[in-house]
Amino acid sequence: MELKKDSNAVSIDMLLIVHSEKRHAAQGAHSDRQADPGAPPQRRGGLQGVGNGIRRWQKLERNDLHGNLVEKQHAQQTQVITSYDNQGTQLTVEVHPQDAMPQLLKKFSLAKRLQGDKNGNTRARQPGGKDAHAYPWDRSSLKSMPLDLRQFEKLDTYASQVTVKSGLDALVSDLLQEAHSDLERVRAIWIWICHHIEYDIEAAQEKDRQAFKPTTILQTQKTNCDGYAGLFERMCRIAGVQCMTVPGYSKGFGYQPGQSFSGEFDHAWNAVFLEGRWHLVDSTWGSGLVDSTTSKFTFLYNEFYFLTHPALFIEDHFPDNKNWQLLKPPQSLRQFENNMYHKSEFYNKGMLSAHPQTSVIKTVNGKVTVTIESCAPTLFMFMLNGKQEHGLLSLRKNGMKLDVYPPTVGTHKLQIFAKGNSEIYSSVLEYTLKCHYADIDVRLPAELHQPVGPSWFSEQMGITKPSHPEPVIYTSDGRCSISFGVEEGISVLASLHGDDGPVTEETQRRYIFQLQREKRTELKVQLPHAGKFALKIFVKKRQEPGNYVFVFNYLLCCTNSKVKWPVFPESFGNWGQDNELLEPLSGVLPANHNVPFKLKLHGVAKALVKGQDTWPLTLNREGYWEGSCNTSGCQEVYVMVLENANHNFYSYILKYKVNAQ
């Protein structure tokens, strides 16, 4: 090659381009690898599932300089000579005619080239000790390098809106217009791929389908995991950033807790060299997800898989070469299979740890306990075999505790969801429960919703300082009294639910009598029979329209078979929240008896009891209205009040039934 240079021009008569690099491990070491015929079928490749023979890209495209559409125009005029030595090194020589120089020079001026070592070698450096992060995770960051994602806001917006105009080089050139460092170059490429390339489910499921070329991906904007990784590597190299494609196993779509991995690798991702150190990215999983029911892909950007901390990345990515774990010490395949899989949303929503740390749990005396620690107060829910049943979930200030009682012997699927800052609950953990003994005595009410017991959430909703901070209340005589503070302007509603007996939709509130004492609400509860009941608590702001909102419930337990309490008297709208009923508390009165009454009523001029006849109540020195009535000859008894002495209109506030004679 002859160069003639003056202050204004460079003349090139002939240009030789020489590539020298190691063949990918996947081509040499794994392309001939046979699956274990006795092993279970593996998920095949990419977005959480399906691979088509990772690493065919290089075999098809290595004769391209950068995969640009422009070079196709000179295919007939460009001579390419490729050979391998016995060490697996590929040497490619391209001979280009003089009229190709402008396009080639444009490529070289696009961005700085890969930095070579002191001997001029541009081969990507293999990971070493300085790249390794400590295992297990130290909770310092979700990322492998310090990042302030706010610094990418402008770049992310720009990169997500760039469109393909011609070829790969032109696309990278456009993306780098707003990128001023290797980190920003990688970020721009990552954002573009995650927002524009769709996961090709059909291609991923075809075992023998050929790998995707960059030109094909740009045209269809669809590919599998191999294509995502290959495209990301190619674009990074054009941008002058060292990048490698890493094949391996993944815990993605179709993964079952505790399963083993063997045979062909099912996924591919990337390692990128930034600031003197290797980092990990997965643009396939960063782009979206596949719906397990419809098998359709949905774009749903996931920041978690950009420069993920290796101690977190290893939870669902196991590379073919342990060095690409970037961990110290590295994990074995057996450890990868047995370790608990925390989904990306587990960390995205601020979770820190979970116990047990294995994905398969055996019950102890018919019970399993799961705890989660989080950075901040978080709402959780769970499903056992697809239903929100057979468990007690209580919220903690920084996490939750869940006790699960599988109803039958066998294998059960437990899913745990967290809400975080969004309005949507996302799956964060999944366990397989092995139950060898089912405790039939721990049958929980079907209406027992989550969470159980007061918590930071009930306090946030206006309920404070509960008399019973624990979620389960045991009563020997079938009665209990529960109180808590209520913030000003908040109304409370409670209802009792059991699986059998006389509790119906009409009477579920009649076994609870609500009293207001200063700034505390008291709930007197009488159970209709022995058993387990859900006491649900709802709140509503008085000045706002709409329905009451469920906050939490208690589990009430009574083993006394003699318990058979009647309902409380029925109260009407004029029963003031500050009123207090001392007697009679039973809503069913005996026939042909004199029954004493004692109540505290506020803002009342007169009070009376009406049955067959009318009996006035008198106000004593302690502020209570007292008196009695006879239940002879009547089926119902009412307590009535006159609020204004100048009026003659009495209002009903309580209703009792009288037993049949």
Side-chain angles (χ1 to χ4, degrees), residues 525-576:
V525 182
Q526 296 182 163
L527 300 181
H529 55 80
K532 295 182 176 67
F533 296 84
L535 176 63
K536 293 187 176 183
I537 311 296
F538 304 82
V539 300
K540 176 184 178 297
K541 290 185 178 180
R542 296 174 190 164
Q543 303 302 323
E544 294 184 3
N547 298 324
Y548 280 82
V549 177
F550 171 74
V551 180
F552 73 98
N553 42 207
Y554 284 105
L555 175 64
L556 307 185
C557 302
C558 179
T559 59
N560 187 348
S561 59
K562 296 181 180 180
V563 165
K564 190 176 181 181
W565 290 104
V567 294
F568 285 103
E570 182 179 356
S571 60
F572 297 100
N574 287 336
W575 174 262

Side-chain angles (χ1 to χ4, degrees), residues 120-136:
N121 186 359
T122 59
R123 183 186 306 164
R125 176 178 71 77
Q126 293 298 305
K130 66 179 297 185
D131 301 293
H133 294 252
Y135 184 88

Side-chain angles (χ1 to χ4, degrees), residues 67-125:
N68 194 305
L69 296 174
V70 174
E71 56 196 320
K72 301 300 181 182
Q73 301 171 4
H74 302 279
Q76 295 180 350
Q77 302 175 11
T78 301
Q79 299 181 24
V80 180
I81 305 169
T82 303
S83 66
Y84 290 96
D85 64 14
N86 59 5
Q87 301 297 320
T89 298
Q90 172 184 314
L91 177 65
T92 300
V93 178
E94 299 182 16
V95 183
H96 293 262
Q98 186 173 6
D99 60 358
M101 296 308 159
Q103 291 85 352
L104 293 171
L105 287 175
K106 180 179 179 181
K107 293 180 180 180
F108 288 118
S109 63
L110 178 63
K112 69 183 184 65
R113 307 310 305 152
L114 295 175
Q115 297 295 320
D117 58 24
K118 62 182 180 180
N119 299 319
N121 186 359
T122 59
R123 183 186 306 164
R125 176 178 71 77

Side-chain angles (χ1 to χ4, degrees), residues 16-33:
L16 297 181
I17 300 175
V18 180
H19 307 277
S20 179
E21 58 184 284
K22 288 285 185 182
R23 279 193 265 188
H24 280 249
Q27 281 186 286
H30 303 294
S31 59
D32 297 326
R33 180 172 178 171

Side-chain angles (χ1 to χ4, degrees), residues 17 81 112 166 189 205 238 243 290 322 371 382 439 500 503 526 551 589 600 614:
I17 300 175
I81 305 169
K112 69 183 184 65
S166 55
I189 293 169
Q205 294 173 342
I238 295 174
C243 182
V290 173
K322 67 178 182 180
T371 58
F382 78 94
D439 190 345
D500 49 25
V503 179
Q526 296 182 163
V551 180
L589 304 179
K600 178 169 282 188
T614 300

Side-chain angles (χ1 to χ4, degrees), residues 477-644:
D477 65 355
R479 295 184 297 180
C480 64
S481 177
I482 303 165
S483 64
F484 38 76
V486 179
E487 291 184 359
E488 188 174 352
I490 299 294
S491 294
V492 177
L493 183 68
S495 60
L496 188 70
H497 304 261
D499 285 341
D500 49 25
V503 179
T504 64
E505 185 175 354
E506 294 78 19
T507 62
Q508 61 190 11
R509 296 192 183 97
R510 296 284 305 282
Y511 289 96
I512 306 165
F513 199 79
Q514 184 170 327
L515 302 173
Q516 189 76 21
R517 295 182 176 176
E518 295 183 352
K519 293 185 178 180
R520 291 186 67 82
T521 292
E522 180 182 1
L523 302 176
K524 292 182 178 293
V525 182
Q526 296 182 163
L527 300 181
H529 55 80
K532 295 182 176 67
F533 296 84
L535 176 63
K536 293 187 176 183
I537 311 296
F538 304 82
V539 300
K540 176 184 178 297
K541 290 185 178 180
R542 296 174 190 164
Q543 303 302 323
E544 294 184 3
N547 298 324
Y548 280 82
V549 177
F550 171 74
V551 180
F552 73 98
N553 42 207
Y554 284 105
L555 175 64
L556 307 185
C557 302
C558 179
T559 59
N560 187 348
S561 59
K562 296 181 180 180
V563 165
K564 190 176 181 181
W565 290 104
V567 294
F568 285 103
E570 182 179 356
S571 60
F572 297 100
N574 287 336
W575 174 262
Q577 286 198 346
D578 294 332
N579 292 345
E580 182 179 351
L581 174 65
L582 273 70
E583 60 178 345
L585 290 176
S586 174
V588 181
L589 304 179
N592 303 317
H593 276 69
N594 285 321
V595 179
F597 280 77
K598 187 175 182 180
L599 310 89
K600 178 169 282 188
L601 306 172
H602 296 273
V604 171
K606 292 182 180 181
L608 58 85
V609 178
K610 180 176 174 46
Q612 181 73 14
D613 297 310
T614 300
W615 291 268
L617 300 178
T618 58
L619 183 64
N620 65 21
R621 294 179 180 179
E622 289 78 25
Y624 290 94
W625 292 86
E626 290 183 303
S628 64
C629 83
N630 191 285
T631 59
S632 299
C634 61
Q635 296 179 340
E636 295 175 341
V637 171
Y638 295 89
V639 177
M640 307 175 66
V641 297
L642 181 67
E643 297 180 355
N644 191 326

